[in-house]
Amino acid sequence: PPERKRFYQNVSISQGEGGFEINLDHRKLKTPQAKLFTVPSEALAIAVATEWDSQKDTIKFYTMHLTTLCNTALDNPTQRNKMQLIRAAVKFLETDTICYRVEEPAALAELQKNEWDPVVAWAEKRYNVAIGSSTSILGPNIPASTKETFVSHLASYNMWALQGIEYVITQLKSLILSMGLIDRHITVEKAVLLSRLEEEYQIQRWGSVEWAHDYDLCELCARTAAGTLFVHLCSESSTVKHKLLQD
Amino acid sequence: RADPRHASDRAGRPYRETPAYQHIVAAFRAHRVTSEKLCRARQELHFQAATYLCLLRSVRQHAALHREYHGRGERSPEEVAGLVGFRLPQQPGGKG
C-alpha cells in the first residue's frame, strides 16, 4: 500500500470530555475503528503528539508505537475482557524465556545461569512465589499458587495498562522480564538483551548479517520501550484521570 | 539532557520549545525538593526519562535501517533485465 503523506502542518493536544485528544491541524485524530482518539494521561498525549509531529514527508506508522498502543486500548480489536487479558499474560509464564534452559553448549548454559538466575530470584522474592527453571522441553512446572499470585497482581492494573503489559510480554516472550521492567528493576536495554540472550550468544560465536541483527534489536527496543512507557503513563495516579479509564 | 536532542522538530523549532521537552523539564523541576516521599517519585521519573530516551533512540535507528535496507523495494522487470545485460522487447500492444 502506498505510504500516506503528511497532510497536516500543526499537531496539538486539547482536553475533551473523554480525555486528551490529538489535533492534526483542525482535525481530531481518530482510531482505525473511527472512534475519537482520547487518552487518559496528558503525558501520554504529548508523547503521541510528538510521534505525529516527528513524521516528515510520509507517515511511517511502523515507528509510531505509542499511537498503536493507544489505538489497541481504544478499539480492543481482539475483544478481550480484563480477565482474558490477564490469563493470556500469565499463561506466558509456562513458556517464559528465562525459565527455559539448555544443557548444551556448556558456555550458553552458563551464560543463561549467570544472567537469568538473578532475575528469577528477584521475581520469586518480590512476589513471594516459586518459579524455578528447567531444561525439559516441557519447561518449568509452575505451581498454581504462583500463577494465581500473578493473576491477582495484574488485576490491580487498569485495562489500558494491561494492554501494555500483555504487549511487552509478547515482545519479550517473558512474563518475568516484563515484570522486571514494570517494577523498574531492570532497564529496557537490559530486558531486551536478556530476552535475546541466546541470539546474542550465537551471533558472537557465528557472526550475523549485521544490519538484520541491528534492525531486529532496534525494533524490539522500540516496542518494549513504548510498551513500558505506556504502562507507566497509564497507571500513574498523579497523571491519570481514573474516571476516564474503563475497566 | 541527552533526551531532548533526539526530538527533531519538523518546523525547525529549537528542542527547548517542544511540548515534550517542556513537559519533562516541568516534571523534573516539580520533583527537585528532596524528601523521603518524593525520592521514590524522582526515581520513577528518572526511569521514565531513560525509557523515553530508549524509545526515541531505537525508533530513530530502526527508521534509518529501514530506509537503508528496506526502502528500495523490488526492482522492476526492466531493471532486472538490465542487471544481466538484456533489454526487454517493446511490444506496442502489450503482452498477448
Side-chain angles (χ1 to χ4, degrees), chain A residues 123-154:
Chain A
E124 287 178 329
K125 184 169 177 214
R126 159 88 175 81
Y127 291 96
N128 195 25
V129 291
I131 301 173
S133 60
S134 171
T135 53
S136 153
I137 54 160
L138 298 174
N141 190 14
I142 310 284
S145 57
T146 299
K147 292 183 198 173
E148 284 314 308
T149 300
F150 282 112
V151 168
S152 289
H153 178 72
L154 290 178

Side-chain angles (χ1 to χ4, degrees), chain B:
Chain B
R1 283 284 167 83
D3 195 10
R5 284 188 218 123
H6 285 85
S8 57
D9 188 278
R10 188 175 185 253
R13 277 185 300 179
Y15 66 83
R16 283 192 195 87
E17 290 175 29
T18 59
Y21 179 78
Q22 288 174 346
H23 180 88
I24 289 168
V25 168
F28 271 102
R29 284 203 183 117
H31 289 91
R32 203 186 281 161
V33 177
T34 310
S35 73
E36 263 188 44
K37 197 175 80 172
L38 291 174
C39 191
R40 197 179 128 208
R42 276 179 79 196
Q43 286 171 1
E44 289 180 359
L45 193 56
H46 269 279
F47 187 93
Q48 207 174 93
T51 303
Y52 192 42
L53 174 60
C54 180
L55 173 59
L56 293 174
R57 191 186 270 149
S58 312
V59 163
R60 171 185 277 217
Q61 289 172 350
H62 179 245
L65 285 168
H66 190 96
R67 264 195 308 277
E68 200 171 336
Y69 295 104
H70 282 248
R72 286 197 297 155
E74 285 198 355
R75 296 188 179 90
S76 67
E78 286 77 13
E79 281 181 337
V80 174
L83 278 179
V84 290
F86 294 129
R87 278 188 311 161
L88 290 179
Q90 303 298 315
Q91 290 181 305
K95 289 183 187 170

Side-chain angles (χ1 to χ4, degrees), chain A residues 193-212:
Chain A
L193 176 64
L194 291 178
S195 173
R196 288 174 48 93
L197 198 66
E198 182 162 358
E199 281 105 313
E200 294 302 319
Y201 169 80
Q202 301 294 3
I203 283 161
Q204 282 196 17
R205 288 220 63 201
W206 303 108
S208 71
V209 180
E210 197 61 43
W211 68 263

Side-chain angles (χ1 to χ4, degrees), chain A residues 161-219:
Chain A
L162 272 173
Q163 295 274 16
I165 293 172
E166 200 253 355
Y167 178 78
V168 173
I169 293 173
T170 309
Q171 295 304 314
L172 294 176
K173 312 271 188 289
S174 167
L175 171 72
I176 302 172
L177 287 177
S178 303
M179 294 323 296
L181 266 177
I182 305 303
D183 292 346
R184 302 178 183 85
H185 174 66
I186 53 177
T187 62
V188 171
E189 290 88 344
K190 177 100 190 208
V192 167
L193 176 64
L194 291 178
S195 173
R196 288 174 48 93
L197 198 66
E198 182 162 358
E199 281 105 313
E200 294 302 319
Y201 169 80
Q202 301 294 3
I203 283 161
Q204 282 196 17
R205 288 220 63 201
W206 303 108
S208 71
V209 180
E210 197 61 43
W211 68 263
H213 164 258
D214 289 346
Y215 184 88
D216 290 342
L217 190 61
C218 288
E219 184 168 34

Side-chain angles (χ1 to χ4, degrees), chain A residues 51 53 77 93 100 135 142 198 200-201 207-208 221 232 244:
Chain A
E51 281 185 344
D53 208 23
L93 196 51
Y100 256 90
T135 53
I142 310 284
E198 182 162 358
E200 294 302 319
Y201 169 80
S208 71
C221 273
H232 287 149
L244 297 172

